[in-house]
RNA sequence: GGGCGUGUAGCUCAGUUGGGAGAGCGCCUCGUUCGCAACGAGGAGGCCGCCGGUUCGAGCCCGGCCACGUCCA
C-alpha cells in the first residue's frame, strides 16, 4: 500500500497555495447543487424525462457490486428487453466505485479526482436522437452563457479514431468530428483517439457497443501534478480533465457462431445515446477549483471533520492530515449513502466493501485524533449537504447513525485486540534492540500479515507502532504473504462451475412457451406433450417406467420459483381416468419453459393429449405459507424498520423460511409483536388481489421486489393484501409469481418457531401455519401437561414447582458430597494405621472401596497432609476398572516421582498412567491384581530410595 | 466460495509433552460506617460451543459441525 509519500507531489505546500487560484471567471459561481439542477433542467426543457437516481444496490444485475454509472438502470432498455413510455431521459445517478472491477478505494484522498462515492449526470436517448443532437446539446450546455458558460478555448474534444472490432475494421468517427465542428469546436481542438481503450464502449462481450466522444477541460499549468509548465493535450499529468463522455450505441455485437472465431457487428436499427458527466468535476471547474475536494460539495464535510477533530488551522496542516480529511469526507458520503440504500457492514460481498470504507475512514480519523463516535457525526453533515437532491437520506437517519456507531465500536474492539497481539510480537524485538542499539530490528512480514489477516489490524496501525518503537516492517514479506492469500482465494474460485441447462431446452424455448395455468386451480385439461427430454437429450417417446422430463403447452403444476417449491401430482390421459405418469416436480430450465420431472406409468409420445392434476392438499399448504410469508415480510418492516429486505425465502408445505437483512437478533418482544400483527391480518380475512402491470408502475405504487430475483420487463404480477386501516391502503404489496390463498383467513394461524443468523447482518425466521401450527400447539400442550402431571403441579405452577425441585436436588447433592467426604475422612483415619516405613520414609498403600476418582483424590490429599512427609498410594475398583492414585509430599519429590511409581503399579493391573511429581493417576482393567500391585510398592520404593 | 483465528464463571481472560477448573472485575451475605465509597471475612455462580474418536484418563490431541472475529475473492 503506498503511504503518504505518494501524495507529496500533488499536495506540496506550493500546491496547497495554488488551490486558491481561480481558473476562469464564470457567469456566476454555481454551487454543486445548482450544477446538478441546471443539468437536469437543461434536458427537461428539451423533452427528457427526469428519472430519479436508482439505488446503489443494483436491482437486476448480480454481476455488478454497486451501481457505477448512470446507464445501469437503463441497461434493459438499451438491450431492447424493456419498454418505457419515454424515449429521452436525464438523471443524476449516485454511484460507488470500490471493490470489483472499478476500484478507486486506494487512490481516494491522494489525488484530486478519485472518489468511492460520486454523482454522475447523464442524458439518454433510447432510439431517438443520435450523434448530431447529442453533440449539439452537450456543446450548448457546457459553453452557452445561459448555462454553464465555460469558455470554448479551455475545451478539447475527442472522437473515436478507428480500430478493429470483432474482425471488422471500423474507421475514424468523422461523423462526430463533423458535428463538433458544426457547433463551433475549433478544428485543431478535435482529436481522434485510435484504439478500443479510450473511445470505444461495449456493454459486454456481446450486445450494444459503439464509439465515444469526450469533452476535456484544460485546467492550466497550475493543475499539473508533475509541475509541467507547458505540456500539450493528451498529457496525463492532471492538467487535462475529462468532463463528459458521450457514448453512441451504434452496433450490436452478436455471439460468436461455433467454428467462427469472432462474432459479427450488426448496425443497430435504432442507435442510442448514453452520456456521463461527473458532477464533482463539473463543480470543480465551474467553481474554479483544481481539486474536487475544494468544491462546496466537499468543503462543508472537510470543515466538519476539522471542527470535530479540533483542527481549525488550515495553514499549519501537513499533507498527511489533508489527505486524511479528504478520505474522511469521501468515505463519509459513501458510507452514509450505502447504509441508506440497505447495505450493512459484513464480512462478504457488498457489506464487506462498506466495512472496508468505514474502517479506512476510521483509520484516518484516528490519525487526526478524532472524537468518538465520529462517523455518525459526519453523516449528519453529509445529510445536510445532500438531502435536497436525495430526500431518502432523511428516512434512514437513525439507522445510519446506529449502524455507523456499532461498526465503530466493533472496529475499536478489533484494533485493541490486534494491538495487544502486536505488543506481544514486538516485545522480543525491543529486547534485542536494547542489547544492540545500532541496528533497528525488523518485524517479519508474515507475522505482520497474520496480524492484519487474522486479527484485522490495519497496516497503518502496525507501521505507526513500529515507528514509535524505532523498529522496521518487512514490507516485501508482507506483500508476499498477501499475494499468496490472493492466489489461494482465486484457485478455490475456479472450482465453482455453473451448471448449464440441458441444451435441448434452449432450442425448445425458441419455439414453445409453457402457459402457466396454475393460478386458476390445480387441474389443467387438454394439454399437449411438446417435448420429452431424457439424459440422452430430446426424444419422441419413452417406455413405461422411464424417468424423464416433459414439456407441455400448458400446465397446472406450479413450477419451483420465487422460493415456493414445486407441486407434485399426476399426469392423466385424455379421459382423465388413467394416470400415465407420476409428477415429482417441475422447474424452469430456461425462462418461460416448464419442465416436469416425471416417472412414466404408461408409454408416452410427443403429441399426446394429457391432463395435469396437482396434489391439492400440498398446494393448499404452500399457498398458506406463501401468503403468510408476505404478511410476515410486511410486519417485519413495520416493526423492525424498512431496512428489512428479503434476502432469501423458502415456501414449502410443512414450513416457511425467510431470510432478511437486519443488524441484530430479533428480540423476543419483537417476535411476539410480529406474530400478533400477522395473526391480526389473518383474522381480518382480507381478500388478496393480483394485478398485472409494468415494473415501473409496480415499484412506483410501493410494491416490494426481491433483488435476487429476475423480473420480466413488462407484465409483472403484483400481489396485494389490502387493508384500509393501513396508511398506505394496503398491508402488503409485492412482486410475486407464486400462488396465494384467496382470503387471509385461510391461513388459520401463524407461529414463528425459530430465529437465527445465517450471515453477518442477515437473520432467518422459520414459521408454520394452519394445520401444521395447530399440530405444534397440540404437541406442545401435551408435553406441558405431561410435565405438570409428573410434578403434581398445575400448568401455571409448573415453573415454580420445577425451580423448587432443582433447588432441592442441589441441596441434596451438597449434603451427599459432605457425607461422602466425611466417610472418606474416617476411612482415611483407619488407613493411617497401616503406614509402614521403608528406609525412613513413611508409606501408605491401601485399597478403598466404593470411591470415585474424585473421592480418591480428596482422600489422598488429606492423608498426605496427615502424614506430613511420605508416599500415599490408593486404589479402588470402579465399573470393573481399576483407579489408582499416588501422592508424594513436596519434600520428597526430588527423590521420588509419583508419576513413575503409579506407572509401575498400573502395569500390573493392565493399564498405564502418569502425572506430576507430587500427584499422579492411573487406570487399569484387571481388578483382581489390585492387592498384589499395592503390595509391590514396598520393594519398589526400597529400590528407588 | 477459500484461508487464518477464537469459543472456559455475568464480563475480561489465564490454564505450558493429557492427570486436582482458576484470576481480576461484577454479584450476594456478614463486619466496619449515620450512610456511601473504600476496606476485611465468607459465599453463590461452569455440559471448558456441540457431536464423535484416541486414551486407564481429554478444557488440552485428532475428525466433523455450529457460532463469532478477520482477511482474500
Amino acid at each position: 500500500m503506498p503511504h503518504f509519500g505518494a501524495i507529496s507531489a500533488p499536495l506540496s505546500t506550493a500546491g496547497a497555495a495554488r488551490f486558491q487560484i481561480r481558473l476562469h471567471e464564470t457567469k456566476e459561481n454555481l454551487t454543486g447543487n445548482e450544477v446538478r439542477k441546471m443539468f437536469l433542467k437543461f434536458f427537461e426543457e428539451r423533452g427528457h424525462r427526469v428519472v430519479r437516481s436508482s439505488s446503489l444496490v443494483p436491482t437486476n444485475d448480480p454481476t455488478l457490486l454497486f451501481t457505477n454509472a448512470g446507464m445501469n438502470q437503463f441497461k434493459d432498455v438499451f438491450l431492447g428487453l424493456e419498454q418505457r413510455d419515454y424515449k429521452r431521459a436525464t438523471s443524476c445517478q449516485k454511484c460507488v466505485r470500490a471493490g470489483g472491477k472499478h476500484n478507486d478505494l486506494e487512490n481516494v484522498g491522494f489525488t484530486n479526482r478519485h472518489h468511492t462515492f460520486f454523482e454522475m449526470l447523464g442524458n439518454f436517448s433510447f432510439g431517438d436522437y443520435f450523434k448530431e443532437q447529442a453533440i449539439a446539446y452537450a456543446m450548448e450546455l457546457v459553453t452557452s452563457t445561459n448555462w454553464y458558460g465555460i469558455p470554448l478555448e479551455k475545451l478539447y474534444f475527442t472522437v473515436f479514431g478507428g480500430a478493429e472490432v470483432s474482425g471488422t475494421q471500423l474507421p475514424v468517427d468523422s461523423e462526430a468530428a463533423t458535428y463538433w465542428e458544426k457547433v463551433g469546436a475549433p478544428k485543431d481542438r478535435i482529436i481522434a483517439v485510435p484504439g478500443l481503450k479510450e473511445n470505444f464502449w461495449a456493454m459486454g462481450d456481446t450486445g450494444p457497443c459503439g464509439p465515444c466522444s469526450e469533452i476535456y477541460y484544460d485546467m492550466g499549468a497550475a493543475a499539473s501534478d508533475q509541475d509541467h509548465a507547458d505540456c500539450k493535450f493528451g498529457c496525463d499529468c492532471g492538467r487535462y480533465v475529462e468532463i463528459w463522455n458521450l457514448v453512441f450505441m451504434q452496433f450490436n455485437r452478436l455471439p460468436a457462431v461455433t467454428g467462427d472465431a469472432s462474432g459479427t457487428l450488426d448496425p443497430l436499427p435504432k442507435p442510442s445515446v448514453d452520456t456521463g458527466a461527473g458532477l464533482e468535476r463539473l463543480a470543480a471547474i465551474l467553481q474554479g477549483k483544481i481539486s474536487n475536494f475544494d468544491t462546496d460539495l466537499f468543503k462543508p464535510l472537510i470543515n466538519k471533520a476539522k471542527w470535530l477533530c479540533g483542527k481549525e488551522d488550515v495553514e499549519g496542516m501537513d499533507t498527511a492530515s489533508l489527505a486524511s480529511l479528504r478520505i474522511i469526507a469521501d468515505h463519509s458520503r459513501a458510507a452514509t449513502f450505502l447504509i441508506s440504500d440497505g447495505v450493512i457492514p459484513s464480512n462478504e460481498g457488498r457489506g464487506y466493501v462498506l466495512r472496508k470504507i468505514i474502517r479506512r475512514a476510521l483509520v484516518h480519523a484516528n490519525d487526526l485524533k478524532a472524537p468518538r463516535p465520529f462517523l455518525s457525526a459526519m453523516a449528519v453533515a453529509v445529510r445536510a449537504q445532500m438531502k435536497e437532491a436525495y430526500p431518502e437520506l432523511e428516512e434512514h437517519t437513525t439507522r445510519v447513525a446506529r449502524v455507523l456507531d456499532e461498526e465503530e465500536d466493533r472496529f475499536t474492539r478489533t484494533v485493541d485486540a490486534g494491538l495487544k497481539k502486536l505488543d506481544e510480537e514486538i516485545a522480543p524485538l525491543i529486547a534485542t534492540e536494547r542489547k544492540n542499539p545500532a541496528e533497528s530490528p525488523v518485524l517479519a512480514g508474515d507475522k505482520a500479515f497474520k496480524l492484519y489477516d487474522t486479527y484485522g489490524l490495519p497496516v497503518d496501525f502496525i507501521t505507526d507502532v513500529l515507528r514509535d518503537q524505532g523498529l522496521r516492517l518487512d514490507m516485501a514479506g508482507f506483500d508476499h504473504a498477501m499475494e499468496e492469500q490472493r492466489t489461494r482465494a482465486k484457485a478455490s474460485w475456479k472450482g465453482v462451475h455453473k451448471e448449464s441447462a440441458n441444451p435441448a431446452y434452449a432450442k425448445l424455448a425458441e419455439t414453445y412457451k409453457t402457459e402457466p395455468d396454475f393460478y386458476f386451480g390445480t387441474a389443467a385439461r387438454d394439454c399437449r406433450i411438446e417435448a420429452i427430454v431424457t439424459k440422452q437429450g430430446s426424444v419422441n417417446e419413452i417406455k413405461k417406467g422411464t424417468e424423464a422430463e416433459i414439456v407441455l403447452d400448458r400446465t397446472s403444476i406450479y413450477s419451483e420459483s420465487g422460493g415456493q417449491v414445486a407441486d407434485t401430482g399426476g399426469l392423466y390421459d385424455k379421459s382423465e381416468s388413467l394416470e400415465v405418469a407420476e409428477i415429482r416436480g417441475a422447474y424452469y430450465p430456461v425462462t418461460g419453459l416448464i419442465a416436469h420431472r416425471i416417472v412414466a406409468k404408461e408409454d408416452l409420445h410427443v403429441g399426446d393429449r394429457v391432463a395435469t392434476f396437482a396434489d391439492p392438499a400440498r398446494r393448499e399448504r404452500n399457498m398458506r405459507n406463501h401468503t403468510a410469508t408476505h404478511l410476515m415480510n410486511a410486519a417485519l418492516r413495520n416493526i423492525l424498520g424498512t431496512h428489512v429486505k428479503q434476502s432469501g425465502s423458502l415456501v414449502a408445505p410443512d414450513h416457511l423460511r425467510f431470510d432478511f437483512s437486519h443488524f441484530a437478533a430479533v428480540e423476543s418482544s419483537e417476535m411476539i409483536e410480529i406474530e400478533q400483527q400477522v395473526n391480526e391480518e389473518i383474522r381480518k380475512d382480507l381478500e388478496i388481489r393480483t394485478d398485472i402491470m409494468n415494473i415501473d408502475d409496480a415499484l412506483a405504487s410501493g410494491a416490494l421486489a426481491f433483488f435476487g430475483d429476475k423480473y420480466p420487463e413488462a407484465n409483472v404480477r403484483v400481489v396485494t393484501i389490502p387493508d384500509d386501516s393501513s396508511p398506505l391502503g394496503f398491508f402488503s404489496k409485492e412482486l410475486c409469481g407464486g400462488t396465494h390463498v384467496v382470503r387471509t383467513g385461510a391461513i388459520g394461524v401463524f407461529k414463528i418457531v425459530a430465529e437465527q443468523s445465517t450471515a453477518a447482518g442477515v437473520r432467518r425466521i422459520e414459521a408454520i401455519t394452519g394445520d401444521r401450527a395447530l399440530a405444534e400447539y397440540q404437541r406442545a400442550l401435551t408435553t406441558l401437561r405431561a410435565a405438570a402431571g409428573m410434578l403434581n403441579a398445575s400448568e401455571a405452577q409448573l415453573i415454580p414447582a420445577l425451580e423448587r425441585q432443582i433447588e432441592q436436588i442441589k441441596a441434596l447433592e451438597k449434603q451427599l458430597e459432605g457425607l461422602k467426604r466425611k466417610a472418606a475422612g474416617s476411612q482415611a483415619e483407619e488407613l493411617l494405621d497401616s503406614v509402614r516405613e521403608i528406609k525412613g520414609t513413611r508409606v501408605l498403600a491401601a485399597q478403598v472401596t466404593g470411591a470415585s476418582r474424585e473421592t480418591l483424590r480428596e482422600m489422598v490429599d488429606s492423608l498426605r497432609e496427615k502424614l506430613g512427609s511420605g508416599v500415599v498410594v490408593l486404589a479402588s475398583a470402579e465399573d470393573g476398572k481399576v483407579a489408582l492414585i499416588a501422592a508424594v509430599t513436596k519434600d520428597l519429590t526430588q527423590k521420588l516421582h509419583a508419576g513413575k511409581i503409579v506407572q509401575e503399579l498400573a502395569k500390573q493391573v493392565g493399564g498405564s498412567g502418569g502425572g506430576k511429581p507430587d500427584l499422579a493417576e492411573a487406570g487399569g482393567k484387571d481388578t483382581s491384581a489390585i492387592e498384589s500391585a499395592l503390595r509391590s510398592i514396598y520393594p519398589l520404593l526400597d529400590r528407588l530410595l
Side-chain angles (χ1 to χ4, degrees), chain A residues 268-318:
Chain A
L268 281 169
K270 287 183 182 173
S272 296
V273 175
D274 155 34
T275 82
L279 171 67
E280 292 78 3
R281 290 182 181 192
L282 267 180
I285 287 160
L286 292 169
Q287 293 170 19
K289 302 291 162 79
I290 287 174
S291 169
N292 294 358
F293 290 101
D294 291 321
T295 66
D296 74 319
L297 290 167
F298 286 95
K299 266 290 157 203
L301 301 180
I302 289 174
N303 287 336
K304 175 77 177 271
K306 235 188 287 188
W307 179 78
L308 284 168
C309 300
K311 293 198 193 298
E312 291 293 349
D313 52 330
V314 202
E315 305 308 322
M317 189 153 286
D318 57 308

Side-chain angles (χ1 to χ4, degrees), chain A residues 328 331-332 335-336 357-359 361-362 365 371 373-380 404-405 408:
Chain A
I328 288 164
H331 291 8
S332 299
T336 305
I357 290 171
I358 292 174
R359 293 191 171 192
L362 289 173
F374 181 66
L375 286 180
S376 55
M378 287 303 299
V380 173
L404 286 173
D405 287 348
E408 205 164 317

Side-chain angles (χ1 to χ4, degrees), chain A residues 223-290:
Chain A
S224 173
D225 291 344
Q226 291 149 36
D227 293 326
H228 293 168
D230 191 24
C231 58
K232 295 280 174 286
F233 179 75
C235 184
D236 60 359
C237 67
R239 170 172 175 168
Y240 302 96
V241 180
E242 176 205 327
I243 58 172
W244 201 344
N245 184 6
L246 315 181
V247 176
F248 308 120
M249 293 185 204
Q250 199 164 357
F251 306 105
N252 184 20
R253 187 152 42 170
L254 299 173
V257 186
T258 326
D260 192 350
S262 56
T264 49
L265 219 52
D266 274 9
L268 281 169
K270 287 183 182 173
S272 296
V273 175
D274 155 34
T275 82
L279 171 67
E280 292 78 3
R281 290 182 181 192
L282 267 180
I285 287 160
L286 292 169
Q287 293 170 19
K289 302 291 162 79
I290 287 174

Side-chain angles (χ1 to χ4, degrees), chain A residues 125-301:
Chain A
S125 157
F126 311 118
D128 190 29
Y129 61 82
F130 199 48
K131 278 181 204 176
E132 182 172 13
Q133 187 67 71
I135 285 171
Y137 283 152
M139 191 61 130
E140 184 185 0
L141 176 58
V142 169
T143 59
S144 164
T145 48
N146 291 327
W147 302 95
Y148 291 149
I150 297 172
L152 193 55
E153 62 269 22
K154 295 277 190 185
L155 301 175
Y156 289 84
F157 309 87
T158 65
V159 299
F160 174 58
E164 191 189 300
V165 183
S166 298
T168 313
Q169 182 62 43
L170 292 176
V172 176
D173 189 2
S174 53
E175 218 182 342
T178 313
Y179 295 136
W180 282 119
E181 213 179 322
K182 197 171 157 189
V183 291
K187 207 166 183 171
D188 61 338
R189 291 291 185 97
I190 304 169
I191 293 103
V193 182
L196 295 175
K197 208 176 157 200
E198 296 295 331
N199 283 59
F200 194 86
W201 178 88
M203 194 179 279
D205 293 339
T206 60
C209 57
C212 316
S213 193
E214 295 176 324
I215 303 179
Y216 278 80
Y217 178 83
D218 177 6
M219 288 206 158
S224 173
D225 291 344
Q226 291 149 36
D227 293 326
H228 293 168
D230 191 24
C231 58
K232 295 280 174 286
F233 179 75
C235 184
D236 60 359
C237 67
R239 170 172 175 168
Y240 302 96
V241 180
E242 176 205 327
I243 58 172
W244 201 344
N245 184 6
L246 315 181
V247 176
F248 308 120
M249 293 185 204
Q250 199 164 357
F251 306 105
N252 184 20
R253 187 152 42 170
L254 299 173
V257 186
T258 326
D260 192 350
S262 56
T264 49
L265 219 52
D266 274 9
L268 281 169
K270 287 183 182 173
S272 296
V273 175
D274 155 34
T275 82
L279 171 67
E280 292 78 3
R281 290 182 181 192
L282 267 180
I285 287 160
L286 292 169
Q287 293 170 19
K289 302 291 162 79
I290 287 174
S291 169
N292 294 358
F293 290 101
D294 291 321
T295 66
D296 74 319
L297 290 167
F298 286 95
K299 266 290 157 203
L301 301 180

